[in-house]
Amino acid sequence: MMESAAENAAMTKEEFKKEVMQDYRIAYESRQASLLGRKEVLTGKAKFGIFGDGKEVAQIAMAKAFQKGDFRSGYYRDQTFMFATEMSNVREFFAQLYADPDVDREPCSAGRSMNGHFGTRLLNTDGTWKTQTDRYNSSADISPTAGQMPRLLGLAYASKLYRENKELHSLTDFSVNGNEIAFGTIGNASTSEGGFWEVINAGGVLQVPMLVSIWDDEYGISVPARYQTTKENLSSILSGFKTDENGKGYELFKVKGWDYPNLIKTYQKAAKICREFHTPVIIHVVEVTQPQGHSTSGSHERYKSKERLNWEAEYDCIPQMKKWMIESGISTENELEELEKQVITSVKAEQKAAWNNYLNPIKIDRDKAVTLINELAQSATNSSIILSLSSQLKNSDELNRRDIFSVINQCLRLTINEKSEVRNRLINLLAEFKGEGKERYNSYVFSQSSQSVSKIKEIKPVYSENSPILDGREVVQSCFDNAFERDLSIVAFGEDVGKIGDVNQGFAGLQEKYGEHRVTDTGIRELSIIGQAIGMAMRGLRPIAEIQYLDYLLYALQIMSDDIATLQYRTKGGQKAPVIIRTRGHRLEGVWHSGSPMGMIIHALRGIHILVPRNMCQASGFYNTLLKSDEPALVVECLNGYRLKEKLPDNIGEFTLPLGVPEILIEGSDVTLVTYGSSCRIAAEAIENLAAHNISVELIDVQTLLPFDVNHLIVESVKKTNKIVFLDEDVPGGSTSFMMQQVIENQQAFKYLDVEPISISANEHRPAYGTDGDYFSKPNPETVFEAIYTMMHQYNPAKYPSWL
Ligand SMILES: Cc1ncc(C[n+]2csc(CCOP(=O)(O)OP(=O)(O)O)c2C)c(N)n1
Ligand SMILES: [Mg+2]
């Protein structure tokens, strides 16, 4: 462990001085970055700025406790920590402020996140994992307050598994005996969020090496502690979590944010306990200030009293550290001022370099465009307007690629009737820029690695005479049994998943067989179940996180949307969390336990694959595919499918189903009926009745909503039937509208339609309870019959007379 200067008696006076001077240098450098950063925003070079001023010294202390293999899950105030650990630096900090889209210059997010959103590159450029144990790691920040907490739990829980499950000890790229700490940081006001308390409770239940620092500056933007925290005192209300005589609970520390020697001591002590004993720790860092207020969006003079502002000026951690250094004879005023001067110069130089590096490639593009536009002007009727546009572009102070696009487009419009070779070259340049823009801003929504789901080879299920017919639940149980056997990194958890093997017995007997580390119960805490999975997946494990019912996914939807779904995108392929979320829905009865809000889900979760298998064989094939891939997915099983009989494939542990490939369940020639999940069975019943009236319906199960029909199979069916119906149990305008947009617009199916396309969905309320409640809330064989028959009647009234 890196010993602290203040602690290590063996250190010479010179070494001690050197270390403290270096700490002061980093703190001061970080402060200068904040001050200059704000100026850059206020002079218009950057859009928004949020900085770590006031939190520097505590973060220096935290950095000294941070070791290789450890992880950070934090928020936008942590620049000093990032600098001190060399996970980031001043130049990269400014590159992010300017939104530099170059991943080498802005490795946290490639210009996709606003400043102060940190993260390291956990993946090689081909999407494979880098070794984590030989470097410092930071998960990628998100903006929602307390959104870093759920993932933190999983990062810490991974250490617990790596330590306690001996079978994992060979995975040394990710852990050395579970010695890694997950460091969390959070602002005082963000602890008002429910997720904070859920995660703190779960961390105490699980006893995981999670070290949470709360930077308490007594404000959340303008809102003071009295609106945020009971008794305005976080230490006091957290005290119930304190370790008991059995050692269960948290070690709690409280320390002042300007007190350098005590901060160093506290973090060393806290980290030792956390690392050695896996006892979770909370360090409440109080008396923290915000010298520049919350962000560049306003000034804190509007809401802080004079007394508070005066106090903040006096207890600013940097002057306080300086005072302590002078008083204790470590340095002198003159020496420190000399150091400060050097730092001011170097920060300025780094900022300038970052700005030039950001701007130069844009200027190069601009110059390419200007040259071509000037050439175009020579033969254009609107020559003078075109020349003036090009000179505006050439001379603009504030240059964005948007301006180049806008001018090229204007010039092309001005010469719409003057086709020429030079105009063609300008069109090509625009296409080239568009392609680059796509790569810069629209890539990596999903994995682009060789393990992306699209690259997993299909292996067909094999059936023989002896293939047994089982309940659906036994089919999926067999799939999981095989998965646990073949891959030690797979871990399943959720409410009732452990002892009873989930409420529908998909994991029945598997805890007994594979142990509690592999198959385990959790508390009722959907948000942090998913967070736990995210953190574990980031550390090389393969979590299957269960949400007991689809209706309760809402509690977790926020973190799925904000964290998992954006992870690849917000890091431009720098991080991944191949989490499998298993749940069940669509069909039972009542306002809850029967929902199918798939529209809400697919719209919130672009970046996660959304699978809706109609039975447990299909679900198993998807699990096998997903477990080979490096992508996150949500699998919604059919609640009424566990007791239905299915034939077990002989290769249940090996067969894989491709994603985005619909299946034609029934062939037909009059109408194409597109659906998924439990609705397949309702559709099949209606189709039988329609057949009796000479209507032949082709039934297509889309199987996965995201990705959706990647080979455009559905339009091929429409070419034959010239009619299309979309069916599901979502609200009107939900997933059926999504499918309609995909087929009618993307696949251009409108060209082949003889009648208007229709959708059949549930009513726009949650389903009522009981057999009749269900019948009158959701589509049923009668409503499907009526809708399709009516369509046929409109198409050919002579052949299909009105039936009512
Ligand atoms: C869920 C959510 N609500 C609101 C915001 C807007 N917001 C950003 S920072 C912030 C205050 C956070 O205060 P605190 O946690 O004390 O951190 P500090 O900025 O003081 O360090 C708010 C309300 C947000 N980012 N996320
Ligand atoms: Mg605060």
Side-chain angles (χ1 to χ4, degrees):
M1 185 189 292
M2 187 179 166
E3 292 281 347
S4 94
E7 285 277 275
N8 188 349
M11 204 176 243
T12 65
K13 225 175 152 190
E14 285 72 44
E15 283 165 344
F16 177 60
K17 172 175 175 167
K18 198 171 156 214
E19 186 169 334
V20 179
M21 288 294 279
Q22 176 59 9
D23 290 348
Y24 185 75
R25 175 185 287 275
I26 296 168
Y28 197 80
E29 181 183 67
S30 175
R31 176 63 59 89
Q32 287 310 308
S34 299
L35 298 174
L36 192 53
R38 186 177 174 88
K39 277 193 198 137
E40 290 299 280
V41 175
L42 299 184
T43 55
K45 275 157 82 187
K47 291 215 136 167
F48 172 79
I50 192 152
F51 304 109
D53 46 313
K55 280 90 182 164
E56 292 93 344
V57 176
Q59 291 180 27
I60 296 277
M62 180 166 116
K64 285 181 190 293
F66 198 71
Q67 291 186 10
K68 293 198 169 142
D70 286 349
F71 259 87
R72 164 190 171 275
S73 182
Y75 80 116
Y76 50 78
R77 297 288 182 213
D78 293 344
Q79 72 199 48
T80 316
F81 177 74
M82 296 302 289
F83 296 165
T85 52
E86 295 182 359
M87 286 193 283
S88 187
N89 57 46
V90 175
R91 194 177 301 190
E92 288 174 2
F93 176 81
F94 279 99
Q96 191 175 48
L97 190 75
Y98 302 133
D100 191 331
D102 183 282
V103 77
D104 295 322
R105 292 193 294 268
E106 203 283 80
C108 297
S109 79
R112 293 177 178 195
S113 279
M114 63 166 58
N115 92 305
H117 286 59
F118 304 105
T120 53
R121 301 203 74 75
L122 302 179
L123 303 180
N124 298 306
T125 45
D126 65 358
T128 55
W129 291 110
K130 288 182 180 173
T131 302
Q132 297 180 351
T133 41
D134 64 358
R135 74 192 69 214
Y136 301 120
N137 306 288
S138 171
S139 58
D141 295 357
I142 59 176
S143 294
T145 47
Q148 66 274 41
M149 294 300 294
R151 175 187 344 120
L152 175 68
L153 180 71
L155 292 169
Y157 186 68
S159 285
K160 183 185 171 94
L161 288 184
Y162 279 121
R163 181 172 290 180
E164 292 181 6
N165 183 0
K166 306 264 180 296
E167 290 178 333
L168 297 174
H169 283 189
S170 57
L171 298 179
T172 50
D173 279 357
F174 295 102
S175 177
V176 178
N177 197 26
N179 287 340
E180 304 78 21
I181 295 178
F183 284 76
T185 65
I186 186 164
N188 59 299
S190 300
T191 68
S192 307
E193 295 281 9
F196 171 80
W197 296 99
E198 182 179 318
V199 168
I200 292 295
N201 179 53
V205 168
L206 297 171
Q207 292 288 287
V208 288
M210 174 169 115
L211 195 161
V212 180
S213 295
I214 304 170
W215 312 139
D216 192 346
D217 56 20
E218 297 182 29
Y219 280 85
I221 311 186
S222 66
V223 182
R226 81 191 134 95
Y227 289 95
Q228 305 282 2
T229 306
T230 305
K231 298 188 273 185
E232 298 179 44
N233 188 338
L234 273 164
S235 279
S236 155
I237 58 172
L238 283 164
S239 62
F241 287 97
K242 185 153 180 45
T243 37
D244 63 9
E245 60 284 3
N246 304 315
K248 297 282 184 215
Y250 280 78
E251 280 300 310
L252 303 175
F253 295 90
K254 185 172 174 178
V255 58
K256 295 182 170 103
W258 48 267
D259 185 354
Y260 173 81
N262 267 323
L263 281 162
I264 303 280
K265 263 190 221 149
T266 304
Y267 272 91
Q268 290 301 316
K269 191 169 165 198
K272 191 166 158 52
I273 297 167
C274 197
R275 200 178 299 282
E276 283 179 18
F277 305 108
H278 277 192
T279 303
V281 175
I282 299 171
I283 303 182
H284 182 197
V285 183
V286 295
E287 299 194 18
V288 176
T289 70
Q290 302 178 331
Q292 301 189 106
H294 176 75
S295 72
T296 52
S297 293
S299 74
H300 55 161
E301 285 81 11
R302 284 179 302 161
Y303 49 79
K304 283 182 187 163
S305 68
K306 262 213 158 66
E307 293 72 48
R308 172 78 195 178
L309 289 166
N310 288 339
W311 178 86
E312 287 203 19
E314 187 178 349
Y315 284 89
D316 183 330
C317 60
I318 290 187
Q320 283 290 335
M321 181 174 174
K322 186 173 177 178
K323 192 167 142 212
W324 171 79
M325 285 168 79
I326 295 167
E327 281 172 5
S328 50
I330 295 167
S331 185
T332 62
E333 183 109 36
N334 283 347
E335 190 182 27
L336 289 172
E337 272 167 18
E338 189 47 44
L339 179 149
E340 289 170 3
K341 262 194 223 147
Q342 283 170 15
V343 170
I344 291 171
T345 311
S346 75
V347 168
K348 184 90 198 136
E350 290 299 297
Q351 171 263 315
K352 273 214 166 103
W355 174 249
N356 289 334
N357 289 342
Y358 159 72
L359 205 58
N360 283 340
I362 306 181
K363 282 186 177 163
I364 290 170
D365 282 1
R366 189 257 327 260
D367 293 346
K368 276 190 202 166
V370 165
T371 308
L372 267 187
I373 291 167
N374 288 345
E375 212 180 310
L376 179 76
Q378 285 172 19
S379 56
T381 317
N382 286 309
S383 174
S384 61
I385 308 178
I386 292 174
L387 282 175
S388 110
L389 281 169
S390 107
S391 111
Q392 269 171 36
L393 186 61
K394 179 82 198 165
N395 300 317
S396 70
D397 300 334
E398 256 184 59
L399 182 65
N400 288 294
R401 286 198 163 84
R402 185 180 70 169
D403 307 318
I404 308 173
F405 269 67
S406 165
V407 169
I408 295 179
N409 273 283
Q410 287 179 68
C411 294
L412 291 174
R413 277 179 236 141
L414 285 164
T415 52
I416 203 158
N417 294 318
E418 299 169 18
K419 309 285 188 276
S420 67
E421 187 270 336
V422 58
R423 190 172 181 277
N424 285 345
R425 275 192 280 138
L426 193 58
I427 290 171
N428 290 343
L429 186 68
L430 187 65
E432 185 188 315
F433 287 168
K434 266 189 193 161
E436 288 168 2
K438 219 171 160 43
E439 203 281 322
R440 273 188 200 108
Y441 297 108
N442 312 121
S443 59
Y444 286 100
V445 178
F446 295 99
S447 168
Q448 296 183 199
S449 82
S450 61
Q451 275 182 286
S452 80
V453 289
S454 61
K455 308 244 172 66
I456 305 301
K457 248 187 86 178
E458 180 177 4
I459 301 171
K460 299 244 187 250
V462 176
Y463 295 97
S464 61
E465 273 176 25
N466 300 330
S467 306
I469 309 250
L470 303 176
D471 280 355
R473 67 186 168 85
E474 295 170 303
V475 171
V476 79
Q477 191 270 3
S478 177
C479 161
F480 290 140
D481 191 1
N482 275 272
F484 283 115
E485 189 73 51
R486 103 182 147 244
D487 185 347
L488 291 169
S489 67
I490 299 174
V491 181
F493 54 93
E495 297 151 21
D496 301 289
V497 163
K499 197 161 181 71
I500 65 166
D502 94 45
V503 286
N504 294 93
Q505 282 149 44
F507 293 109
L510 298 184
Q511 185 182 67
E512 256 180 9
K513 189 166 173 187
Y514 297 100
E516 228 188 306
H517 291 122
R518 308 276 315 271
V519 185
T520 187
D521 285 318
T522 67
I524 306 172
R525 48 178 184 80
E526 286 77 11
L527 169 73
S528 58
I529 287 173
I530 299 303
Q532 192 171 333
I534 301 170
M536 290 163 72
M538 279 184 168
R539 293 191 60 194
L541 298 168
R542 293 307 312 255
I544 302 175
E546 181 164 311
I547 298 296
Q548 199 160 72
Y549 297 100
L550 180 61
D551 309 71
Y552 305 123
L553 191 77
L554 272 169
Y555 275 75
L557 195 65
Q558 177 264 324
I559 211 67
M560 288 169 65
S561 180
D562 285 325
D563 202 346
I564 309 177
T566 65
L567 184 63
Q568 279 264 326
Y569 179 78
R570 75 178 190 266
T571 59
K572 202 180 179 198
Q575 298 194 359
K576 63 181 174 184
V579 171
I580 296 176
I581 298 153
R582 176 184 188 226
T583 190
R584 48 189 74 87
H586 305 314
R587 281 245 150 208
L588 214 62
E589 279 165 16
V591 175
W592 288 275
H593 303 97
S594 61
S596 188
M598 298 313 299
M600 171 180 77
I601 289 168
I602 59 176
H603 294 314
L605 300 181
R606 301 298 163 93
I608 300 181
H609 298 304
I610 311 293
L611 285 51
V612 279
R614 67 181 177 276
N615 61 32
M616 300 307 151
C617 268
Q618 302 305 103
S620 300
F622 286 140
Y623 285 123
N624 290 339
T625 303
L626 293 170
L627 287 165
K628 284 186 170 182
S629 92
D630 68 353
E631 300 204 65
L634 167 70
V635 183
V636 185
E637 295 170 12
C638 295
L639 241 175
N640 58 354
Y642 296 109
R643 291 187 186 282
L644 299 178
K645 297 291 181 195
E646 293 182 40
K647 206 178 216 188
L648 182 78
D650 298 344
N651 57 347
I652 181 74
E654 287 94 49
F655 85 105
T656 54
L657 271 183
L659 271 61
V661 180
E663 192 176 329
I664 298 174
L665 300 183
I666 299 172
E667 289 197 10
S669 53
D670 292 323
V671 178
T672 301
L673 175 55
V674 178
T675 190
Y676 58 87
S678 303
S679 300
C680 291
R681 283 190 283 280
I682 293 164
E685 200 180 324
I687 287 170
E688 245 184 75
N689 297 333
L690 287 157
H693 290 265
N694 282 326
I695 297 171
S696 161
V697 179
E698 181 139 298
L699 176 60
I700 300 182
D701 175 8
V702 302
Q703 306 211 80
T704 62
L705 284 166
L706 300 176
F708 186 86
D709 188 7
V710 291
N711 302 318
H712 293 193
L713 178 140
I714 299 170
V715 73
E716 293 308 314
S717 172
V718 179
K719 283 180 190 169
K720 180 172 68 174
T721 62
N722 310 110
K723 294 172 217 71
I724 190 159
V725 178
F726 299 93
L727 164 71
D728 77 359
E729 303 187 358
D730 197 358
V731 291
S735 267
T736 47
S737 292
F738 167 75
M739 295 194 288
M740 197 181 278
Q741 182 265 345
Q742 288 289 311
V743 177
I744 304 298
E745 185 183 334
N746 278 12
Q747 299 187 13
Q748 301 271 291
F750 72 92
K751 291 180 187 164
Y752 311 101
L753 291 181
D754 287 343
V755 290
E756 67 182 279
I758 61 164
S759 62
I760 308 170
S761 53
N763 282 278
E764 58 187 358
H765 54 74
R766 302 233 182 155
Y769 189 61
T771 305
D772 286 344
D774 173 74
Y775 187 85
F776 288 100
S777 298
K778 290 181 158 190
N780 53 59
E782 283 69 45
T783 45
V784 176
F785 179 94
E786 186 175 337
I788 294 181
Y789 189 90
T790 305
M791 177 183 253
M792 292 306 289
H793 164 69
Q794 278 165 3
Y795 170 66
N796 188 346
K799 191 166 172 196
Y800 303 103
S802 160
W803 75 292
L804 287 180

